[in-house]
Every structure is written in C-alpha cells, then in structure tokens.
Amino acid sequence: MVVLNKIYTKTGDHGETALGNGSRVAKHSTRVSAYGTVDEVNATVGLARQVAEGDMDARLAAIQNDLFDLGADLCTPDMEKDAEREYPPLRVADSQVLRLESEIDAMNKGLEPLRSFILPGGTALAAQMHLCRTVARRAERLVVELATMETVNPAAVKYLNRLSDWFFVAGRVANDGGSGDVLWVPGANR
C-alpha cells in the first residue's frame, strides 16, 4: 500500500489559497484573515487544555471541535448557494450558540457579581482563558468586518460573541469562583 504524506503543496507560493468552494483568493483577504484568526483561537484553547481538568477540559474540547466547524463555515463563501451544492457545507448552528449560553449561565450561577473590571491573570488556567477571550474577540471583529462585504452565517457571529463571554466567565471560575480575580485599581500607579 502506498501512503502519500505530502506536507507542502506549493499551491500558495504566489500568495493565494483555496476556499471551501474551490475558488482562490489572496491569503490576506478578509475571509482568510477571519478563519485564520478562528484557528488562532483554537490554538489558544489547546494551550488552555494543558492546565484544564475534568469537565472544563471536556468543555474546551467541545469548543475546539466547534471552532473547526466555524472555520469550515467561514472558508466556504456564497452561503446563498448552499442549497444548490452537491454537498451542503458545514455551517455553525444556533444549537451551538445555545449550548454556550447554557454553559455560561451554569458557570455564572456560583460567581459573585463583579464590582470592578478584572485584569487577565490569577491562576494559569484563568490567564489562558483571558488569552482565549481576547483572540476570540479579534476573530469576532474580523468576521463582523467580513459580514459588511459578503454574506456570513449570522450564527457564526453569535457563536464568537458568546464564546468570548464563555471564556470570560470560565476565567472567573478558574480563579477560585471569582475570589481569585485580579481586580483593576484605576490610577493605582500614578
């Protein structure tokens, strides 16, 4: 049996890449920047999983899978043509957004209300969650920008918005239920 394991294709040597529908675009296009940043979010989640345990690790694993779904969604343009395609592309579903909302609500129940902004930090897992949050926010900004130019699945935008909220709340949970949050002290070093 012959196994092909070609790592490099050379098809991007001229600054273009293929989208999910086979069309080629510049690697610096807004669409490629958007799903590339979703991939960055996924990498930060992989780092967070190095220190996560139990249920939190399982939830992060589910998010990583969702992020691949989101990348597949974003790399396939022309959503309005989905019904005509031989194989309908994978799109993020509202049920994925609802799952995040349910998890946020469950995690938030045990937290004290915030009375100050918090600084990214505390435990190693909390710091990683804040990194995930900030990269997710950047991905969201890029997807929103893309939506001003092309059709984008509304559930994809919602997912990223909820995901950054999820990371924020999970960071508080990782900081001993919020008691270990690092609070911002305005003007503390003047």
Side-chain angles (χ1 to χ4, degrees), residues 97-111:
V97 176
L98 293 173
R99 189 193 80 242
L100 289 179
E101 290 175 352
S102 174
E103 291 177 5
I104 291 167
D105 291 345
M107 288 188 292
N108 206 37
K109 279 183 182 176
L111 300 176

Side-chain angles (χ1 to χ4, degrees), residues 84-130:
E84 304 165 16
R85 299 181 202 274
E86 183 178 357
Y87 302 102
L90 183 62
R91 300 287 180 198
V92 170
D94 287 328
S95 60
Q96 290 167 292
V97 176
L98 293 173
R99 189 193 80 242
L100 289 179
E101 290 175 352
S102 174
E103 291 177 5
I104 291 167
D105 291 345
M107 288 188 292
N108 206 37
K109 279 183 182 176
L111 300 176
E112 290 293 319
L114 276 176
R115 302 198 193 307
S116 172
F117 286 102
I118 62 173
L119 301 175
T123 67
L125 181 56
Q128 289 291 339
M129 292 299 184
H130 284 291

Side-chain angles (χ1 to χ4, degrees), residues 132-181:
C132 293
R133 174 185 57 80
T134 60
V135 180
R137 284 279 187 223
R138 180 162 37 96
E140 179 187 8
R141 289 190 301 271
L142 288 165
V143 172
V144 168
E145 180 182 3
L146 176 64
T148 67
M149 301 174 227
E150 302 179 41
T151 304
V152 171
N153 178 2
V157 176
K158 288 179 193 174
Y159 184 87
L160 281 168
N161 185 267
R162 296 311 180 282
L163 183 61
S164 59
D165 294 338
W166 191 99
F167 289 133
F168 179 80
V169 174
R172 294 198 67 214
V173 168
N175 269 338
D176 197 22
S179 65
D181 286 339

